[in-house]
Amino acid sequence: MTVTPRVVVLAGGVGGARFSLGVRSALASRGEAPATIVVNTGDDLWLTGIRLQPDVDSILYALAGVNDTQRGWGRTGDSERVHHEVQAYGAGWPWFTLGDLDLGTHLARTGWLREGLTPSQVVAGLSRRWDLGATLLPMTDAEVDTHVVVRDGERLHFQEWWTRHRATLEPIAFENPGVDAATPAPGVVEAIRGADVVLIAPSNPVVSIGPILAVPGIREALRATDARVVGVSPIIGGRVVRGMADVCLTAIGVDTSSSGVAAHYGARAADGLLDAWLLAEEDAASASAVEALGIRPVVVPLWMTDAAASTALAEAALTA
Ligand code: FO1
């Protein structure tokens, strides 16, 4: 009997969505069981009375094949009629566009939440519509939206800092109020503990992976699992691939380098998380620094320029 490995991915944002597509395709081509993807919900927010889950939706839409690949968020071919109506009333955020098709998702989600479903039941409900080829789990059912404390002491919701101010206000702290009392969503700890491989996607280590690891019980499950824990560097050639992750890394005192992020996650043998770390060919010189941390470095092409490249990267992570 062939035993197919159980694969768990920790993910958020565009990097997480692209990597999840690669993992799905790599597992399908090996004839193996679909992955469980644990998604960051720190980006979530309430806006004009509706609940948004940007990272859940990015990964949901990408796996469903309906994501806007140009913008990196929302639905392809969407219109903005409702958004303009909301703006005409002076409601909502002018700098945060909700597409009409996207709003359908938010309304379904909010309706179910108001009827008493938990966020993980809602994610399952949204997932049922599509043939995703993966199971999505929110990291927690608690509302632990990320807040950013900036230099002048002001505290902003992550989306205001990221989308409105484009991360230009110097952050001094990222916080997830309530996270200390949060618990992992049903199935998260079980999936990690029962996995053969856990992959940490090349998502923003601070605001995408950070909130997942901050949920009490998740880091402990990663430390306790017999699975290999393999991370993929979000840094290529000493630079962040996309987004403004360098600002986030600097704020928490982590060097914007492949070995810097590896050190941030740490080696399993030294109270950290990683068994292996995939770093870019451009950063091959950092391999020895990663090895010195007690993490096995694996140098591979990291650019997820197309589906084939994302699949090859996921394949490399699965076999690392
Ligand atoms: N990002 C933007 O840069 N501008 C927007 O107007 C915007 C709207 C938006 C609506 C729904 C959604 O799920 C995501 C949206 N995003 C938008 C992306 C989002 O702000 C962030 O890029 C992610 O949260 C970071 O992972």
Side-chain angles (χ1 to χ4, degrees), residues 12-14 40 43 52-55 57-58 61 72-74 94-99 102 106 158-159 162-163 166 208:
V14 179
N40 170 42
D43 287 21
L52 314 181
Q53 294 198 292
D55 280 6
D57 291 350
S58 288
Y61 293 159
W73 48 271
W95 38 268
F96 203 79
T97 307
L98 300 182
D102 194 26
H106 309 319
F158 167 74
Q159 292 295 348
W162 184 263
T163 306
R166 297 274 156 209
S208 292

Side-chain angles (χ1 to χ4, degrees), residues 152-173:
D152 68 3
E154 200 188 341
R155 168 188 287 272
L156 311 173
H157 186 281
F158 167 74
Q159 292 295 348
E160 190 168 12
W161 178 74
W162 184 263
T163 306
R164 181 182 190 185
H165 296 288
R166 297 274 156 209
T168 53
L169 303 179
E170 189 189 343
I172 52 171

Side-chain angles (χ1 to χ4, degrees), residues 9-12 37-41 55-56 59 136-140 212:
V9 183
L10 308 187
I37 304 172
V38 177
V39 186
N40 170 42
T41 59
D55 280 6
V56 168
I59 296 174
L136 298 195
L137 297 178
M139 64 190 199
T140 179
I212 301 178

